[in-house]
Amino acid sequence: MKDVRIETKCVQGGYTPGNGEPRQIPIIQSTTFKYDTSEDMGKLFDLEASGYFYSRLQNPTCDTVAKKICELEGGSMAMLLSSGQAASFFSIFNLANAGDHVVASSALYGGTYNLFAVTMKRMGIEFTFVDPDCTDETLENAFRPNTKAVFGETIANPALTVLDIERFARVAHAHGVPLIIDNTFATPVNCRPIEFGADIVTHSTTKYIDGHGVSVGGCIVDAGKFDWMAHAEKFPGLCTPDESYHGITYAEKFGNAGAFITKATAQLMRDFGCTQSPQNAFYLNLGLESLHVRMERHCLNAKKVAEYLESNEKIAWVNSPALATNKYYPLVQKYMPNGTCGVVSFGVKGGRKSAEKFMKALKLIAIETHVADARSCCLHPANATHRQMNDQELAAAGIPADLVRLSCGLEHYEDLIADIEQALATL
Ligand SMILES: *Cc1c(COP(=O)(O)O)cnc(C)c1O
């Protein structure tokens, strides 16, 4: 689906039924697929023919939904995974081995930071974290001869920093490595990182793409543009024969457009099995069908709420990339001119105690660790996800003790503002 707008791709991308076939995507609830001869099956195992044999590796429903997200991001090939965490892990582990190194933005989702800094470090992969606003010189200095990738988030969760994707892509490419972008918060409706030089795009589809708090999932999209063979000495996994597939060299056999996802499916999905279920992929597709409509409302609500908070004397500070006063506004205009995301963070005057009292008084807005849901929700990290830290440690982590993270849902913004107003009145 090429010559249509992003809205049309959200609704009809990935699947074009033939005559008399189901209008909605079929859920292929089957672990296995039948073949007439062992030779037929053997060709699939050797990656000589494409087709399905076992749903741990590939399933038609999941592939249909991956194809839609691939079209939305403007990529060459994509795969669904069981979670955003699995997508982040695969995106790095498909390129880096023990003894390798990765440069990552320090403004990351907490789960991603832990995966990189603790768990993948134990696997022998080292990360250097750089401030997304660092100078080119600091960014350059983070690279080592064994660096295999650069990783960052379009809009970071929960810091809400905005990454200069073109700058990070330029520096990554100058060092012969791909740029991986976690595009969860912006979604392909608001930003398509591949258009700005990103090579691999990842998603926690659990957030806006699902959008209804229904299913945990992840996705990886390959732009298909990175020339692996031109940097063959850095990427032996893609550029030398894979003994577990009779000596296939992915970059040779599948080219720049297919090597990354084919390897991630054939090796990593085979061995780790972080598989999306066909039923959840179906739910994901329902979310995708309205993503463009919902993002517009999430963004409108966040803007209205942020503007209200900014003008309220009981509020100490407001952080939202949607505000014209935000320090990232110039980057927002370049990368996301139509909108950013529905998440806003702010501080209530009076610090931690006031934040607690304020949140307890909210009626429509629920306290949850989730974001990007149709229903508005909020979190006080100092009292939840970062509870073990004292006020000094929180400040060092860039999470002030008074920070409230508010994810604006799809309700009417005047009702959200009224709820915030009555809760502030209790202070
Ligand atoms: C939630 C989130 C993840 C992790 O995704 P899960 O689906 O919860 O595993 C990764 N990146 C970002 C930006 C997220 O918000």
Side-chain angles (χ1 to χ4, degrees):
M1 189 156 287
K2 276 208 153 61
D3 301 319
V4 297
R5 290 164 182 81
I6 195 99
E7 293 83 352
T8 305
K9 289 180 186 170
C10 281
V11 181
Q12 297 212 15
Y15 176 64
T16 310
N19 193 36
E21 288 179 358
R23 188 70 188 97
Q24 182 53 284
I25 63 167
I27 303 172
I28 309 297
Q29 193 70 47
S30 183
T31 58
T32 29
F33 300 82
K34 177 224 157 215
Y35 287 92
D36 289 339
T37 68
S38 299
E39 288 78 35
D40 288 347
M41 177 92 82
K43 284 191 188 125
L44 298 178
F45 271 92
D46 287 352
L47 303 180
E48 286 299 329
S50 66
Y52 298 95
F53 54 97
Y54 191 51
S55 283
R56 170 157 34 84
L57 283 97
Q58 275 183 290
N59 170 281
T61 309
C62 296
D63 280 358
T64 299
V65 181
K67 191 163 171 237
K68 179 181 277 192
I69 299 174
C70 188
E71 288 173 5
L72 289 171
E73 289 287 3
S76 65
M77 205 169 167
M79 67 196 289
L80 295 190
L81 302 96
S82 54
S83 68
Q85 286 298 103
S88 302
F89 173 60
F90 274 35
S91 74
I92 300 286
F93 201 62
N94 207 33
L95 299 171
N97 297 314
D100 286 340
H101 172 259
V102 175
V103 176
S105 162
S106 59
L108 290 177
Y109 172 66
T112 308
Y113 180 80
N114 199 67
L115 170 68
F116 290 175
V118 182
T119 301
M120 292 190 80
K121 189 169 183 222
R122 277 175 38 214
M123 301 170 83
I125 299 171
E126 276 217 64
F127 288 77
T128 298
F129 296 96
V130 295
D131 190 309
D133 303 332
C134 70
T135 62
D136 278 353
E137 197 188 350
T138 307
L139 185 54
E140 292 280 351
N141 289 341
F143 283 81
R144 301 179 192 169
N146 57 345
T147 301
K148 297 301 164 77
V150 177
F151 188 101
E153 295 179 13
T154 311
I155 305 172
N157 173 15
L160 302 180
T161 54
V162 176
L163 194 78
D164 190 346
I165 297 170
E166 257 179 16
R167 181 167 83 98
F168 273 67
R170 189 179 65 238
V171 177
H173 295 160
H175 289 266
V177 302
L179 175 65
I180 304 169
I181 293 289
D182 179 338
N183 196 31
T184 298
F185 263 31
T187 83
V189 168
N190 284 338
C191 180
R192 288 170 299 283
I194 289 171
E195 291 174 5
F196 299 102
D199 301 287
I200 311 288
V201 175
T202 64
H203 282 280
S204 166
T205 59
T206 319
K207 311 296 166 51
Y208 289 112
I209 290 184
D210 170 69
H212 299 79
V214 171
S215 60
V216 174
C219 184
I220 304 177
V221 182
D222 179 11
K225 290 179 185 160
F226 196 84
D227 191 350
W228 305 108
M229 276 304 195
H231 307 282
E233 76 295 343
K234 276 192 198 296
F235 304 105
L238 285 153
C239 302
T240 59
D242 177 359
E243 290 318 319
S244 67
Y245 273 107
H246 308 294
I248 280 178
T249 299
Y250 293 100
E252 261 174 21
K253 189 160 176 69
F254 301 101
N256 294 342
F260 188 89
I261 297 292
T262 305
K263 175 176 179 286
T265 303
Q267 280 182 346
L268 302 186
M269 207 49 113
R270 176 195 65 192
D271 295 350
F272 291 101
C274 311
T275 314
Q276 175 71 275
S277 77
Q279 183 75 41
N280 277 3
F282 177 83
Y283 293 138
L284 203 54
N285 188 57
L286 286 184
L288 281 161
E289 286 179 3
S290 64
L291 181 65
H292 54 301
V293 182
R294 291 184 291 106
M295 285 314 288
E296 206 175 298
R297 179 60 70 92
H298 281 296
C299 293
L300 172 72
N301 284 358
K303 191 163 191 295
K304 293 287 185 185
V305 165
E307 283 166 1
Y308 164 79
L309 291 167
E310 212 175 27
S311 69
N312 192 297
E313 62 191 18
K314 290 186 176 169
I315 300 298
W317 56 270
V318 184
N319 182 15
S320 159
L323 288 172
T325 51
N326 188 269
K327 86 183 235 208
Y328 294 105
Y329 200 65
L331 287 180
V332 166
Q333 285 180 307
K334 175 174 178 178
Y335 293 110
M336 296 165 262
N338 297 328
T340 53
C341 67
V343 181
V344 174
S345 66
F346 57 94
V348 182
K349 279 185 189 163
R352 185 191 283 259
K353 276 259 162 321
S354 298
E356 282 167 24
K357 193 164 177 216
F358 162 75
M359 286 180 55
K360 204 178 271 178
L362 290 167
K363 295 192 169 100
L364 275 179
I365 302 166
I367 300 173
E368 292 172 22
T369 52
H370 197 39
V371 291
D373 192 353
R375 289 142 294 214
S376 292
C377 56
C378 68
L379 181 79
H380 182 210
N383 219 10
T385 44
H386 298 71
R387 195 181 171 78
Q388 69 286 0
M389 294 184 178
N390 64 34
D391 286 8
Q392 284 83 349
E393 287 169 329
L394 283 167
I399 300 165
D402 64 346
L403 184 149
V404 177
R405 183 184 70 185
L406 171 61
S407 171
C408 297
L410 300 177
E411 303 90 344
H412 198 291
Y413 61 82
E414 283 177 5
D415 292 329
L416 299 179
I417 289 171
D419 193 27
I420 294 168
E421 191 153 80
Q422 65 81 23
L424 285 175
T426 66
L427 300 181

